[in-house]
Amino acid sequence: MTGPDLTSSTGRSFRPWQDISLSVADRVDALLQEMTLEEKVGQLGSRWIGNDMQADQDQDPEPGDQSENALNVAPMQDAFAASGSVPFEEAIRHGLGHLTRVFGSAPLTVAEGAAEVVRLQHEVVKHSRLGIPALVHEECLTGFTTYGATVYPAAIAWGATFDPDIVERMAAAIGRDMRDVGVHQGLSPVLDVVRDYRWGRVEETMGEDPYLVAMLGAAYVRGLQSAGVIATLKHFAGYSASRAARNHGPVPMGRRELMDMILPAFETAVAEGGARSVMNSYSDVDGVPAAADSWLLTDLLRGEWGFTGTVVSDYWAVPFLATMHQVAGDTEEAGVQALTAGIDVELPDTLGFGQHLAERVRRGELPESLVDRAARRLLTQKVELGLLDPDWTPEKSVAGAPDVDLDSPGNRALARELAERSIVLLDAGTALPLLGEGRTEPRRVAVVGPCADEPRTFMGCYAFPNHVLPRHPGLGLGVAAPSLLDALRAELPDAELVHERGCDVSGDDRSGFAAALRATRESDLCVAVVGDLAGLFGQGTSGEGCDAEDLRLPGVQADLLAELTATGTPVVVVVVSGRPYALGEVHGRAAALVQAFMPGEEGGAAVAGVLSGRVQPGGKLPVQIPRGPGGQPGTYLQPPLGSNSHGISNLDPTPLFPFGHGASYTTFEVDDLVISDAEVPTDGEFTVSVRVRNTGGRAGEEVVQLYLHDVLAQVTRPMRQLTGFARVRLEPGASARATFAVHADRTAFTGRDLRRVVEPGDVEVFVGTSASDLPCRGRVRLTGSPRHVGHGRRLATPVDVTPAQHD
C-alpha cells in the first residue's frame, strides 16, 4: 500500500500519486496499489451522456428531423441508445476512464459546453472513492467537431496540399481550442490509405499513397499534441480496403499487403509523430476482427513498434465482436477478447468492459494483469495530462474557455490558406483564369449545379454542420460559410451572375434542367458546380456509411453536365467532392476542369479565387481521377499486371488524371537529374537532386515528386511508389534545386517470409510532377547481401530545397 498523505507548501494534503516530484511511473504505481480491482476496471470504461439525449429525441423528434438513421453520428447509435445505458451515477461509482463527446453531441455554446464539462467532472470526482477525473475526448477530423468551431477542409484536401507544415499548423490550432475548453484527446487523424474510391470515407483519408499519408498524418499528430491534446490514430488497421468498398465490410487482404500498404502510415505516426493513442478498425482482416487481434494490437504495435500509449475502441467495436462479427458469444465475452487482444479503454459507453471483468478475475477466468495493464496505460496519460496533480480542478481544466473564439480570425485565415493550397486545377482549358492579361471578363455568367449555392457541400461528414446540425435544422451552420455563388459575386463584381440549381446532388429529378440550360445558353460562360453532399449512414453521397456503387457523379449530375456542355456556351466544371469521380465523358467537352476536395468554410472564396486567377492553383491529386466509372478498385500503386496489360485484358485502368497531378497558371520544368552514386550497399544512402524552374510569367508552387521502382524482387512491386516530395515556391524565372537523401531502407518491402527486407539489385529513380509526368529518370544499384530491417529503419526521405539565381 502507499504511504501516508503528504502536505503541500500551501498546507493542502495530497496522496502520494499526486506528488509531482515523483516520476510518472512511480505515481501510477502508487495509485494502482491504492485501487481496488473494481476501481481499476472502472478506468477502462466511458460514458456518453449525449447518447442519452439521442434516446430522448428519438421518442420525440424535432420538426425537420430526417429518418432514424439520419440522427446517428456513430454506427447503430440509435439501437444502443434505445437499449439504454446505466445511470451516470452508477457508471462512475468505481471511477471512469473517458467522458465521450461533451461538446460534440448537441449544439452548445462554449460557455454551455465548459459548464457541462465542469459539472460532469465534479460528478466523476465526487462519486468515485479516489476522485480520479475522467479524460474528455472529442472528434476533430475537420476541426473541433462542435457548434461554432472552424470547419477546416476535409482530410482528403490536406492530401491535396502535399504540405505537412500547414497540416501541422492546422492541427495545433485545433488542439489549442480543444485544450482551452477542457478536452484531452482528439479522435484524429485518420490514417487509412485509400484502396477503393467507392468507399464512403475516402473524404476522411489523406489519399492513396502510404508515404503521403504517413508524412501528413505524423504532422497532424505533432500539431495536435503540441497543444497538449492526445492524438488518436485510426482506424487500425485495414478498414479502407473492405470488400466492394462497403463500410465495415470484410477485408480480403493478406499480411504482406497490409504491412506494405496500410501499416506504414501508422508506424510513422508512432515513430515520427509520437502518437499517444490508437483506435481499432471495425473490419476484420482475413477473418480476424481488429478489436480481437492480439498480433495487431499487442505483438506488432507494442512489441515491434514500442508504442506505449492507449488503444481505445472505436465506438461499440467491442460489442460488435458479438453482434456483428459473431466471434464472441455475448458482449461480456467480447470484452474479454478485446481486453486480451490489447484494447485498453472501451468507447463510447461501457458495455463489454463492465464489472463482470472483476468477477472473472476473482473466479480465476481472467488474469488480473490484463486489467492492470490497461489501467496503467490510461492512468499514465492522466498523470501526463496533469489530471492527477494536487491542484487540478474541473474549473481549472476549462480556464481558457472564457477567452476562446472557436472560429477566430486566425483560424479562418488558416482555413483559407489550406483551402487555397488544396484546390486542384485539373485542366485550365480555354476558359481559366477568368480574369487577367489578355482575358475579357464575362458579362453574364450562369452558375449552375447542386453544389453552387450550398456551402455544406464544402464540408465533410465529421464537420459539425453535417454531423450533428441536421438534427437541429433551425440553427443554420453555426459558422459563416459563403457558398461558391456568394464568393463569385464578390470575385466578379462587374459580371451579372444567374443561378439555377439544375438538379439535386442525389435523386433523379430533372425538372430543373430546362432552366439551367436556358440560363447557360443566355450567358457568356457557365460555371457548373457538381459533386457531393456529405452525410452519415446513407444520408449523403459521401461520408461514413455512404458508399458508392460506381464512380459516376451522384444522381443525374453527369446528365446535367452532358446537356450543359452541348449548349455551345463554354462550361467550367468544378467538382466539389469527397472522392474522385469519373470525368472521362466531360473532359474535352468542358472549357476547364477544377477539383475541390471539400475545402471547408473558406472553400467558396478559395475556389472563386482559383477561377478568377487571383489565387494561383497549386494543389495535387492525392487520388487518381478515373476515366470511366467502373473497373474498380484501383490506385496508382500497381505491379506490372495491375497496369494497362495490352493484349491480356480489354479493361484499361489508366486514369484520366494521375496521382500527383495538378496544373497551374504558370509553367515549371524539372530537369538536371543528379544521382550521387551509381552503387550503394544495402545499408547505404544516396542523394537524388533535380533543378525545378518556373518558366512562366507568374509566381507559383510546384510539388517535386520522387518515385522508386524495384526492378527485380522476390515479390511483385509497384511500378512507381512515392518516396519523397517537396513543395517549392518560385518567382517567375527563378529556379531551385531539390535534393532528396534516400536511404536504402526506403526500398524495403515485405518478403515471402513476411520479414521486411532490403534486397540488392537495381532500383529505378523517377522525379517529376506526378506519377505519370516523370521527365527525370535514372538508376541505382544496391549491392551486398539482403538486409532485414524492422521498426528502426528510415521511414522518411529528407529533402533540402536550395534557391538558385535567376537563369
Side-chain angles (χ1 to χ4, degrees):
M1 298 297 289
T2 62
D5 287 2
L6 306 175
T7 303
S8 69
S9 59
T10 61
R12 180 180 176 183
S13 64
F14 58 92
R15 309 305 298 269
W17 42 271
Q18 296 177 302
D19 186 354
I20 61 175
S21 69
L22 298 178
S23 69
V24 171
D26 287 344
R27 292 174 67 183
V28 173
D29 284 341
L31 180 54
L32 283 171
Q33 292 177 39
E34 183 87 6
M35 299 173 77
T36 66
L37 178 57
E38 286 75 13
E39 287 168 342
K40 289 184 286 189
V41 169
Q43 291 298 308
L44 313 187
S46 58
R47 190 67 176 87
W48 190 4
I49 299 298
N51 205 29
D52 298 344
M53 298 163 57
Q54 163 81 42
D56 294 342
Q57 293 190 17
D58 281 350
Q59 296 170 11
D60 186 19
E62 296 181 9
D65 275 352
Q66 302 172 53
S67 71
E68 192 171 87
N69 279 343
L71 303 179
N72 288 353
V73 298
M76 298 183 65
Q77 179 185 349
D78 50 346
F80 284 103
S83 67
S85 298
V86 298
F88 187 56
E89 288 189 11
E90 175 62 23
I92 63 177
R93 185 161 64 92
H94 296 293
L96 188 70
H98 277 232
L99 283 167
T100 295
R101 298 192 64 177
V102 178
F103 279 87
S105 303
L108 303 175
T109 66
V110 171
E112 290 168 341
E116 182 69 354
V117 168
V118 169
R119 182 186 74 82
L120 293 174
Q121 289 283 33
H122 272 298
E123 290 293 307
V124 170
V125 171
K126 179 177 70 175
H127 285 86
S128 59
R129 180 177 68 92
L130 297 176
I132 302 171
L135 192 152
V136 180
H137 77 256
E138 296 285 350
E139 296 282 1
C140 56
L141 184 58
T142 64
F144 183 8
T145 304
T146 191
Y147 185 66
T150 303
V151 179
Y152 294 93
I156 191 68
W158 314 346
T161 70
F162 275 68
D163 189 343
D165 175 69
I166 197 170
V167 172
E168 184 169 345
R169 288 190 284 127
M170 175 198 67
I174 295 169
R176 289 191 295 270
D177 286 343
M178 296 172 75
R179 176 201 63 203
D180 286 347
V181 297
V183 177
H184 307 108
Q185 182 164 344
L187 302 187
S188 288
V190 170
L191 298 186
D192 299 310
V193 174
V194 175
R195 303 298 285 166
D196 189 327
Y197 306 137
R198 299 172 299 174
W199 190 48
R201 303 189 81 167
V202 167
E203 66 169 63
E204 300 177 46
T205 77
M206 289 169 265
E208 66 184 64
D209 182 82
Y211 186 68
L212 177 64
V213 175
M215 292 297 99
L216 298 178
Y220 184 99
V221 170
R222 288 192 297 269
L224 196 72
Q225 294 190 166
S226 72
V229 174
I230 293 170
T232 310
L233 313 181
K234 61 185 189 183
H235 306 86
F236 193 61
Y239 188 25
S240 58
S242 58
R243 183 178 285 123
R246 294 180 64 252
N247 191 37
H248 293 208
V251 176
M253 177 181 286
R255 181 68 58 86
R256 192 192 61 77
E257 183 180 355
L258 182 76
M259 294 177 71
D260 282 351
M261 294 296 163
I262 303 298
L263 294 178
F266 291 92
E267 184 179 9
T268 302
V270 170
E272 304 282 334
R276 299 295 295 140
S277 193
V278 170
M279 175 179 279
N280 73 279
S281 162
Y282 283 122
S283 297
D284 71 82
V285 177
D286 196 22
V288 181
D293 190 347
S294 59
W295 170 81
L296 181 71
L297 302 180
T298 298
D299 298 347
L300 177 76
L301 178 63
R302 298 188 186 276
E304 293 187 29
W305 295 358
F307 176 72
T308 60
T310 55
V311 175
V312 299
S313 79
D314 206 340
Y315 284 18
W316 294 300
V318 173
F320 280 176
L321 292 175
T323 61
M324 307 297 283
H325 291 291
Q326 299 181 14
V327 298
D330 54 31
T331 297
E332 292 187 357
E333 183 185 336
V336 171
Q337 287 194 27
L339 181 68
T340 302
I343 288 181
D344 302 311
V345 182
E346 181 183 12
L347 303 181
D349 270 313
T350 306
L351 295 174
F353 279 14
Q355 289 301 323
H356 74 93
L357 294 175
E359 297 167 6
R360 288 170 183 261
V361 169
R362 290 200 168 91
R363 294 198 301 264
E365 299 171 0
L366 180 71
E368 186 171 0
S369 60
L370 293 179
V371 174
D372 288 351
R373 180 181 73 176
R376 178 182 297 279
R377 292 167 180 164
L378 179 63
L379 292 172
T380 295
Q381 293 189 337
K382 289 187 176 184
V383 171
E384 291 171 341
L385 290 165
L387 272 67
L388 302 184
D389 290 355
D391 61 349
W392 183 92
T393 66
E395 289 76 13
K396 282 187 176 181
S397 74
V398 300
D403 300 319
V404 71
D405 179 356
L406 295 181
D407 194 28
S408 66
N411 284 5
R412 294 192 70 98
L414 184 54
R416 172 81 70 94
E417 182 184 356
L418 201 157
E420 291 178 350
R421 200 160 293 188
S422 73
I423 308 300
V424 182
L425 178 63
L426 296 176
D427 187 349
T430 59
L432 296 182
L434 298 179
L435 307 179
E437 186 176 351
R439 295 283 185 178
T440 300
E441 180 175 355
R443 291 170 296 176
R444 181 181 170 93
V445 179
V447 184
V448 303
C451 301
D453 197 28
E454 175 51 271
R456 288 198 302 137
T457 62
F458 293 151
M459 303 176 184
C461 71
Y462 271 79
F464 200 81
N466 287 336
H467 198 68
V468 173
L469 288 181
R471 174 194 292 276
H472 307 273
L475 292 181
L477 300 180
V479 293
S483 69
L484 180 54
L485 177 63
D486 296 330
L488 282 172
R489 286 184 174 131
E491 197 76 28
L492 305 173
D494 297 328
E496 178 188 358
L497 268 61
V498 181
H499 172 245
E500 292 292 345
R501 184 174 177 84
C503 64
D504 293 331
V505 170
S506 57
D508 57 4
D509 184 2
R510 301 165 185 262
S511 61
F513 275 29
L517 292 169
R518 183 169 55 251
T520 298
R521 291 191 187 99
E522 296 172 353
S523 298
D524 302 312
L525 178 79
C526 172
V527 176
V529 194
V530 296
D532 283 320
L533 177 59
L536 295 163
F537 309 110
Q539 298 303 310
T541 59
S542 174
E544 185 172 1
C546 298
D547 310 313
E549 291 184 353
D550 59 33
L551 297 176
R552 182 179 171 88
L553 282 163
V556 294
Q557 294 181 82
D559 297 334
L560 176 63
L561 289 180
E563 296 196 29
L564 290 173
T565 55
T567 62
T569 299
V571 179
V572 175
V573 176
V574 179
V575 182
V576 180
S577 64
R579 66 165 63 83
Y581 285 106
L583 301 178
E585 292 185 359
V586 69
H587 184 237
R589 302 174 64 183
L593 281 176
V594 174
Q595 174 69 56
F597 288 113
M598 293 184 174
E601 69 183 31
E602 289 285 344
V607 175
V610 167
L611 295 181
S612 73
R614 174 179 55 82
V615 173
Q616 172 71 285
K620 297 288 185 174
L621 288 174
V623 288
Q624 300 177 123
I625 299 294
R627 188 176 301 274
Q632 298 302 312
T635 72
Y636 93 96
L637 288 165
Q638 297 293 334
L641 288 176
S643 57
N644 189 18
S645 305
H646 296 288
I648 296 176
S649 171
N650 63 308
L651 298 179
D652 181 0
T654 304
L656 180 64
F657 295 103
F659 174 85
H661 169 79
S664 173
Y665 295 142
T666 190
T667 55
F668 294 93
E669 289 186 5
V670 179
D671 60 12
D672 193 20
L673 171 69
V674 177
I675 300 176
S676 62
D677 300 272
E679 295 185 354
V680 296
T682 53
D683 62 352
E685 182 175 287
F686 59 95
T687 63
V688 177
S689 70
V690 294
R691 177 179 58 180
V692 54
R693 295 184 292 163
N694 184 342
T695 55
R698 289 186 57 174
E701 295 184 353
E702 182 58 276
V703 178
V704 182
Q705 303 164 38
L706 167 69
Y707 295 83
L708 298 182
H709 170 229
D710 192 336
V711 176
L712 180 65
Q714 60 179 277
V715 297
T716 61
R717 300 292 297 139
M719 296 298 291
R720 308 279 188 278
Q721 184 158 7
L722 185 70
T723 307
F725 59 88
R727 195 174 184 101
V728 182
R729 178 173 178 79
L730 292 172
E731 295 297 319
S735 64
R737 181 157 289 276
T739 302
F740 300 89
V742 185
H743 195 278
D745 287 356
R746 301 292 292 120
T747 70
F749 61 90
T750 302
R752 297 186 186 188
D753 61 0
L754 297 183
R755 291 191 296 169
R756 199 175 299 277
V757 63
V758 177
E759 285 190 333
D762 287 352
V763 175
E764 290 182 315
V765 176
F766 307 90
V767 186
T769 57
S770 78
S772 295
D773 184 8
L774 299 166
C776 297
R777 304 184 176 207
R779 185 172 290 222
V780 171
R781 173 162 293 179
L782 301 183
T783 61
S785 301
R787 185 171 65 91
H788 289 99
V789 295
H791 180 62
R793 71 190 185 283
R794 302 282 184 89
L795 297 169
T797 304
V799 56
D800 178 64
V801 177
T802 305
Q805 298 296 320
H806 286 231
D807 294 339

